[in-house]
Amino acid sequence: MTRVVEQRGLYFDELEEGVIYAHKPGRTVTETDNVLFTTMTMNTQALHLDAAWSSGQPFGQRLMNSMFTLSTMVGQSVTQLTQGTIIAQLGLTDVTFPHPLYHGDTLYTETVITGKRLSSSRPGQGVVTMQHTGRNQDGAVVALATRTCLMWTKDAHAAQS
């Protein structure tokens, strides 16, 4: 009989507070990513779309859409932490973008579990708080976000199936 290994995130019981989870590979962001995401979400900000205008602004070039940066940063954590083990995302707080992300930069993300507790109203489930940090290829922090999720415990998820 062939053994099957299913890729999944970590269960509530497997997540450890204070551990740095480094998500690889990084994601090199492109002009196409920026224009598609920006227009798809109806964000007409010239800082994302107008190269000539942006060249006269303080950063001298177009910036990656910060919502794209946030989405990609959270997305990079999914396979390692929450794939198939999350019940719901409860919220995002403390979102900041301390340094711009530009076309051609590579985004690397790390996550630290900053808190976890079993749910008092949902047996077999727990609330996990994560701090995501996105850095460019030079190590500059380009995004920070605190994310709270409702997660399965391993035994409760198995019993659910």
Side-chain angles (χ1 to χ4, degrees), residues 31-136:
E31 178 181 15
T32 301
D33 295 327
N34 200 28
V35 171
L36 284 175
F37 185 88
T38 297
T39 56
M40 188 170 46
T41 58
M42 299 179 66
N43 179 342
T44 58
Q45 177 52 253
L47 278 172
H48 308 310
L49 298 172
D50 188 330
W53 183 82
S54 295
S55 69
Q57 297 307 303
F59 293 107
Q61 61 182 302
R62 286 174 291 168
L63 308 177
M64 287 301 293
N65 185 311
S66 58
M67 295 297 98
F68 176 87
T69 303
L70 176 63
S71 295
T72 304
M73 182 175 65
V74 170
Q76 286 178 311
S77 74
V78 168
T79 55
Q80 189 175 16
L81 297 180
T82 62
Q83 180 67 49
T85 58
I86 189 174
I87 297 162
Q89 178 165 282
L90 301 176
L92 288 164
T93 61
D94 306 316
V95 178
T96 61
F97 303 98
H99 186 279
L101 192 64
Y102 301 111
H103 301 159
D105 281 351
T106 301
L107 178 63
Y108 295 96
T109 299
E110 297 175 348
T111 302
V112 174
I113 306 303
T114 58
K116 59 183 261 189
R117 64 172 178 80
L118 287 170
S119 172
S120 56
S121 61
R122 300 178 69 102
Q125 300 173 12
V127 177
V128 177
T129 304
M130 309 172 187
Q131 174 68 49
H132 298 296
T133 302
R135 291 184 170 80
N136 70 11

